[in-house]
Amino acid sequence: MQVLNLKPYKDESNSEIMLKNIKIEGYKSIRRLDLDLGMINLLIGSNGVGKSNFISFFKFINNIYELRLQKYALTQGADNLLYYGRKNTDQIKGYLGFGDNAYEVILEPSENGSLFIATEKSYYYPARNNTYFDEFNLQESWIKNSSTKRNDYLRYHLSTFKIYHFHDTSPSAPLRTPANINDNRILKENGDNLAAYLYYLQEKHPKSFKRIEKTIASIAPFFERFNLEPDRLDETRIKLIWNEVDQPDTYFDASHLSDGSLRFMALTTLLLQPELPRIIIIDEPELGLHPVAVNKLAGLIKSAAAKGCQVIVSTQSVNLLNNFEPENIITVDKVDNQSSFDRLDDNDLDRWLDDYSMGELWTKSIIKGQPQ
């Protein structure tokens, strides 16, 4: 297997808020990848080309950081994590470049079918002095419990690598069930504490809360406002209760919401929360949304990015694509049995964009991404 070129990615602007470059080798369908990222990154491509594998790599890194590698690798299976299994691939390599900071990990399969950390490095690059600190042959990462200030930056980023997916809106879905009122530190990946988190915003960040309500009402004209308070019979629990326009005395909770309305509430809360994480990763957020809601979602993504939150989205929505510029878009294809990632170039598409939208270029196969 060819070794990655692990020369640190440097950005002359020295921005401290972005994941600027990612290198992956030997992970699932990704044999080798070296990709620069921007503030907004939309991955497009057909089913099975590797978008979800790229997204899942962040969850993989987060589990390594949270000292859950052994459990995660045993659950997933080393053969399922390595590119075409252990017979073809003997290492998974990852490199995350944050300008003047970087994280690198090399993992190898163990005899029990799990993985262990062969090498883990944290890089810090002051203006004229390249340095790194490494550990070898670990069962779990050392970064989280490191007491050195040089790793504070990495800890802050790696801890926020969550993949948000609000797909499950079935009658018994966590999104629809009551939440513990104290479970409000962050909005969880599946939104099962949405009511508790919104209540926290209502009480502590009323301006952001009102903005969330107004945004929801802009695509759901039946929605007037939330009516959030602890359950009268169990004050440790809270339901997602809301009022319908011109129905002040009628009871409505999450069970009365359509799938699309409920998902949009969760997405709006995620992208309009007052203290945005460094990075937000969303898997197919357009699922079940009305086209008007998809357009509004695009605006929310742009707003979050403008506030310094980097956004990575996997999508198959032509409508969502139409709201963004070529430099925001990464096409994903399957080439020679591996996932291939390419960022679009404005200069290559100028003559097309005079007559066609981005979505039309995609559906007409003028750009990569195999939409059909």
Side-chain angles (χ1 to χ4, degrees), residues 219 259-261 263-264 267 285-294 297:
I219 64 95
D259 293 350
S261 296
R263 290 186 187 117
F264 187 76
L267 288 164
E286 72 277 3
L287 184 65
L289 297 189
H290 187 278
V292 174
V294 172
L297 171 64

Side-chain angles (χ1 to χ4, degrees), residues 63-263:
N63 273 274
I64 293 172
Y65 168 76
E66 296 289 356
L67 312 180
R68 299 173 187 147
L69 171 63
Q70 294 307 308
K71 181 179 179 181
Y72 185 81
L74 284 170
T75 301
Q76 299 292 317
D79 277 318
N80 295 323
L81 294 171
L82 289 154
Y83 175 76
Y84 280 87
R86 283 176 287 182
K87 291 183 178 179
N88 295 281
T89 305
D90 56 9
Q91 291 183 329
I92 295 173
K93 299 181 181 181
Y95 176 88
L96 306 172
F98 302 94
D100 279 352
N101 295 266
Y103 172 75
E104 176 191 344
V105 66
I106 299 175
L107 303 111
E108 296 179 0
S110 57
E111 293 183 357
N112 67 352
S114 182
L115 296 169
F116 71 93
I117 298 171
T119 306
E120 188 176 37
K121 295 182 180 181
S122 77
Y123 291 84
Y124 178 60
Y125 302 100
R128 297 190 177 121
N129 180 28
N130 292 353
T131 59
Y132 68 84
F133 306 86
D134 53 10
E135 296 286 342
F136 302 94
N137 298 325
L138 305 170
Q139 292 295 304
E140 299 290 352
S141 172
W142 63 283
I143 299 294
K144 184 173 184 177
N145 292 329
S146 168
S147 60
T148 59
K149 289 187 176 181
R150 67 176 180 262
N151 285 328
D152 285 348
Y153 187 86
L154 291 180
R155 282 193 288 268
Y156 185 82
H157 274 79
L158 301 183
S159 66
T160 64
F161 281 5
K162 313 291 185 185
I163 301 173
Y164 295 92
H165 52 87
F166 307 122
H167 298 175
D168 185 3
T169 51
S170 61
S172 60
L175 263 174
R176 295 191 186 272
T177 55
N180 185 315
I181 198 166
N182 294 311
D183 187 7
N184 57 23
R185 186 174 63 86
I186 60 170
L187 180 64
K188 290 185 176 179
E189 294 167 272
N190 64 354
D192 69 1
N193 66 334
L194 178 60
Y197 191 70
L198 279 168
Y199 182 66
Y200 160 75
L201 296 182
Q202 172 185 284
E203 298 301 306
K204 299 297 183 181
H205 299 277
K207 289 185 178 179
S208 295
F209 179 75
K210 287 297 182 184
R211 189 179 178 196
I212 290 169
E213 286 187 316
K214 289 180 179 179
T215 302
I216 294 168
S218 71
I219 64 95
F222 60 86
F223 174 84
E224 182 181 48
R225 62 180 178 82
F226 288 111
N227 189 8
L228 301 172
E229 58 183 18
D231 191 298
R232 295 177 67 181
L233 299 178
D234 182 354
E235 293 189 354
T236 67
R237 312 295 290 174
I238 188 167
K239 294 181 180 179
L240 191 68
I241 299 173
W242 52 278
N243 284 2
E244 185 169 310
V245 174
D246 297 328
Q247 299 289 333
D249 298 323
T250 305
Y251 175 85
F252 295 100
D253 62 23
S255 67
H256 298 97
L257 290 166
S258 69
D259 293 350
S261 296
L262 185 56
R263 290 186 187 117

